[in-house]
Amino acid sequence: EQTEQTSSNTTQAAQTTNTELQFIKPVDGEIVKEFAMDNLVYSNTLQEWTVHTGIDIKADKKTVVKAAEAGTVKTIKNDPSYGLTIIVEHENGFQTVYANLLTSEVVVEGEKVEKGQSLGTVGNTAAFEIADEPHLHFEILKDSAQVNPNIYIK
């Protein structure tokens, strides 16, 4: 009897690993700039048309940014273009990128985070979007390629 119990638990664990990830919006707010890889969007800061590799979600400064899905904090960096940026690695080759942050001191590199856990706060640190209102620049990557976050956000 005990053997059956163990094998059914193992099967359950294997099924859990292959589940489709269900990303949540990292901040509540209006999407003020859409994902644009195949078409160009106008950048107020750069005063030119450019691709946009994520979505910008309007949010007041200091709004808490939440992990869109469970994963591990891979990188926390101050990027010259993106500003303060946190990258979280997820299962199935996914990564989420949270940029234009004000603070990130609530998590450290290598830390495991749960879906909905605080990562930092919204700021206005991205040099390439400085002319825009405060917002979170959010990206989802699948196997190192940027994908449209709107497809994955539930």
Side-chain angles (χ1 to χ4, degrees), residues 73-142:
V73 177
K74 184 185 172 199
T75 317
I76 299 173
K77 62 180 177 186
N78 213 337
D79 184 277
S81 302
Y82 285 78
L84 186 57
T85 302
I86 296 175
I87 300 171
V88 178
E89 208 155 40
H90 308 281
E91 287 181 0
N92 305 342
F94 280 99
Q95 289 184 345
T96 48
V97 178
Y98 311 81
N100 200 33
L101 300 174
L102 183 67
T103 59
S104 70
E105 70 274 350
V106 289
V107 289
V108 293
E109 289 184 359
E111 182 176 337
K112 292 212 177 303
V113 292
E114 293 303 315
K115 182 194 295 196
Q117 184 177 331
S118 298
L119 296 177
T121 56
V122 172
N124 203 7
T125 55
F128 79 138
E129 293 182 342
I130 207 87
D132 300 333
E133 295 178 76
H135 64 274
L136 174 72
H137 177 85
F138 177 65
E139 298 183 4
I140 295 180
L141 287 82
K142 168 75 170 137

Side-chain angles (χ1 to χ4, degrees), residues 27 29-33 42-45 52 55-63 82 99-102 122-138:
V27 292
E30 181 194 345
I31 294 171
V32 288
K33 193 179 283 176
Y42 191 74
S43 163
N44 291 322
T45 307
H52 192 242
I55 57 174
D56 289 349
I57 307 168
K58 187 173 165 183
D60 292 334
K61 256 189 179 164
K62 298 187 181 153
T63 301
Y82 285 78
N100 200 33
L101 300 174
L102 183 67
V122 172
N124 203 7
T125 55
F128 79 138
E129 293 182 342
I130 207 87
D132 300 333
E133 295 178 76
H135 64 274
L136 174 72
H137 177 85
F138 177 65

Side-chain angles (χ1 to χ4, degrees), residues 39-71:
N39 56 328
L40 300 176
V41 291
Y42 191 74
S43 163
N44 291 322
T45 307
L46 303 173
Q47 301 281 300
E48 67 181 24
W49 292 86
T50 176
V51 295
H52 192 242
T53 53
I55 57 174
D56 289 349
I57 307 168
K58 187 173 165 183
D60 292 334
K61 256 189 179 164
K62 298 187 181 153
T63 301
V64 171
V65 175
K66 301 177 297 238
E69 181 52 275

